[in-house]
Amino acid sequence: MQQTVIKKVKNTAFYMGMTPGEAVALQRDMGAAVVTDSVFGSINHVAGIDISFRAGTANAAVVVLTFPGMKVVETASARKKVTFPYIPGLLAFREAPVALEAFARLSTIPDLLVVDGHGLAHPRRFGLACHLGVELDIPSIGCAKSRLIGQWREPARRKGSSTRLIAGEEVIGRVVRTRDDVKPVFISAGHKVSLKDAVRLVLRMATKYRLPEPIRHAHIAAGHFW
DNA sequence: GCGACAG
DNA sequence: ATCTTGTCGC
């Protein structure tokens, strides 16, 4: 698998001077620092983050909302040229740089990050949600629209229904129905948040649409800042 | 060697 | 992610 990844971009760009092979090594190191069993109490602000691309340039948007009210209180954005290609498993090396720049412009530090991508449900258990959570040292949750790895069964049709996302012998996430009769989302722990809490929080933030409010707003903002 | 493959 | 029109359903 690694062979495929490296081979696919051996003549392409880098991330902070890193080769894809070094990126994989870094993920393994950072992954060892992930804390997934922490319990956190009061959450007042949550941030959603998303990025849109156009001809080699990325636009990142971070939107902070109140919790559980889900009212937008602040939006920050950043633009940056991207050279690292999209490689399944190495998404963070393409999206994290711009995302972190946008985040640095925020005046309100959120208590939780909801990321458009996977957390522990990743080949090396270190998806974009883990990457951002560790870099910012803020609890984070991975909420992806489709599967990267793992086996799963279709959850029941009603909102709140969910099934396990399994890789080998371990449960790496849950496939959750956020609304009646809509495609489920893939939830996994990112940083300092348990899978159980992640699912509970996402269901609480998915008020009217398939995607939880933070991600939905960030997605709109990212594509609107051009 | 042949598929699978977050956004 | 992005390229792109109409169309099915509530």
Side-chain angles (χ1 to χ4, degrees), chain A residues 161-202:
Chain A
S161 300
S162 67
T163 54
R164 300 178 304 176
L165 177 58
I166 301 173
E169 294 296 272
E170 58 181 316
V171 177
I172 57 177
R174 290 199 72 89
V175 185
V176 182
R177 195 83 71 185
T178 51
R179 295 293 296 166
D180 289 359
D181 301 308
V182 296
K183 290 172 55 177
V185 294
F186 298 73
I187 305 302
S188 59
H191 183 55
K192 295 184 174 178
V193 178
S194 67
L195 175 58
K196 180 182 178 183
D197 284 342
V199 171
R200 182 166 56 73
L201 289 166
V202 167

Side-chain angles (χ1 to χ4, degrees), chain A residues 34-40 120 189 191-195 197:
Chain A
V34 179
V35 177
T36 64
D37 58 352
S38 294
V39 178
F40 54 103
L120 293 180
H191 183 55
K192 295 184 174 178
V193 178
S194 67
L195 175 58
D197 284 342

Side-chain angles (χ1 to χ4, degrees), chain A residues 50-88:
Chain A
D50 193 36
I51 300 165
S52 66
F53 296 86
R54 274 180 53 175
T57 299
N59 232 330
V62 183
V63 181
V64 178
L65 300 78
T66 58
F67 181 91
M70 294 292 101
K71 298 302 177 185
V72 177
V73 297
E74 184 181 357
T75 298
S77 66
R79 182 174 297 182
K80 190 182 188 64
K81 290 185 178 179
V82 176
T83 53
F84 202 92
Y86 165 66
I87 301 173

